[in-house]
Amino acid sequence: MSIKTAVVNGVATIEIARPEKKNALTRVMYQEMADALIAANTDKTVRAVLIQGQPTVFTSGNDIEDFMSSPPRDEDAPVFQFMRALLGCEKPVIAAVNGAAIGIGTTMLLHCDFVYVADDSRLAMPFVGLGLVPEFGSSLIVPSLMGHAKAAEKLLLGDPFTGADAVECGIANGVLAAGEVVAYARRVAERFNALAPSAVRESKRLMRRHSAAQVIETIKVEAEIFGARLRSPEAMEAFQAFFQKRQPDFTKFD
């Protein structure tokens, strides 16, 4: 299985487990993660959710071959079900990030409540380099976290950044040694066993209430443009270059 789930000591763990493909996400994996989040949200024994990858990689983002064979066409697509499930999770969500977190591997962190990254982590949102646009509300949240100038580096140039950078710009809570990230994140998740569950849920809702509608609207607008971009000549060139293991040539476009 590429997504492993378990509930232990009040923590629902969602583990991305496809290291042979750098934890690249497929439609099936998105659906499994969405189902796991929904189950955790309704399970009264669960007090927090922990999302983790493998010791050397969180996720390299979408599996390009799977993605192109059946791109998301409407709101029922598994990737959008995952987005809604993460946005709608009333319980604290903690992410433990080792290694690379690319594309949605970074943008999903924007919707977690706690993020802990390894000192060797590398995050990136290289959407423009693929002829695409930012997704999962990142065009709204990233500039609001770090300002337009730094957001332009991350979203327009697609510059990768470290775990320490993620902490500095407000995406992550802390940087730890690679071998300590998951255990530390789990300890944080287990702290919610001692807290009043309804008070935690209501506090999380209040913290996000002022921006919730704007985030949802942004995701909808991004999705419409993203879908159109998938069919664009620029994206086709980028994906062909990916499969041919070369740099895309955008010089013919204006």
Side-chain angles (χ1 to χ4, degrees), residues 9-243:
N9 193 24
V11 179
T13 300
I14 300 173
E15 178 184 349
I16 308 170
R18 197 188 180 207
E20 72 281 4
K21 293 291 186 180
K22 298 182 180 180
N23 275 5
L25 298 169
T26 64
R27 288 166 290 164
V28 171
M29 293 167 71
Y30 279 124
Q31 188 64 62
E32 290 175 345
M33 289 193 295
D35 293 343
L37 283 164
I38 292 169
N41 201 40
T42 57
D43 186 341
K44 293 183 179 180
T45 69
V46 171
R47 296 297 181 92
V49 177
L50 173 63
I51 301 176
Q52 66 184 72
Q54 298 300 294
T56 59
V57 62
F58 184 64
T59 172
S60 57
N62 285 311
D63 181 307
I64 298 296
E65 188 172 359
D66 179 83
F67 189 70
M68 292 308 297
S69 69
S70 183
R73 301 187 185 280
D74 54 46
E75 294 182 358
D76 291 327
V79 64
F80 294 126
Q81 292 190 44
F82 167 68
M83 290 182 183
R84 288 196 298 273
L86 183 53
L87 282 172
C89 187
E90 298 177 333
K91 299 174 183 181
V93 180
I94 298 92
V97 180
N98 284 96
I102 309 301
I104 199 166
T106 292
T107 61
M108 75 166 74
L109 304 179
L110 304 174
H111 304 282
C112 295
D113 301 292
F114 300 84
V115 177
Y116 299 98
V117 293
D119 52 13
D120 64 351
S121 291
R122 291 294 181 272
L123 296 79
M125 296 174 282
F127 303 111
V128 171
L130 291 171
L132 303 173
V133 296
E135 37 85 298
F136 211 170
S138 55
S139 65
L140 169 70
I141 300 171
V142 174
S144 70
L145 282 175
M146 61 185 76
H148 180 84
K150 287 189 176 296
E153 293 176 348
K154 310 298 189 292
L155 293 174
L156 297 182
L157 292 177
D159 284 355
F161 53 106
T162 66
D165 293 330
V167 172
E168 182 182 357
C169 66
I171 292 176
N173 295 78
V175 181
L176 297 99
E180 300 175 4
V181 176
V182 172
Y184 186 89
R186 176 167 291 280
R187 288 197 296 272
V188 172
E190 290 176 347
R191 289 179 61 183
F192 287 97
N193 289 321
L195 296 173
S198 60
V200 170
R201 290 193 300 271
E202 290 297 331
S203 296
K204 175 172 175 172
R205 183 184 63 81
L206 287 168
M207 289 171 65
R208 294 174 178 259
R209 181 180 64 87
H210 72 284
S211 62
Q214 193 175 14
V215 169
I216 292 170
E217 174 64 17
T218 299
I219 291 173
K220 180 179 179 181
V221 172
E222 288 172 341
E224 291 174 354
I225 299 173
F226 194 99
R229 293 297 311 166
L230 279 174
R231 299 183 293 274
S232 71
E234 290 176 346
M236 292 300 101
E237 164 61 18
F239 292 132
Q240 287 174 10
F242 175 84
F243 290 121

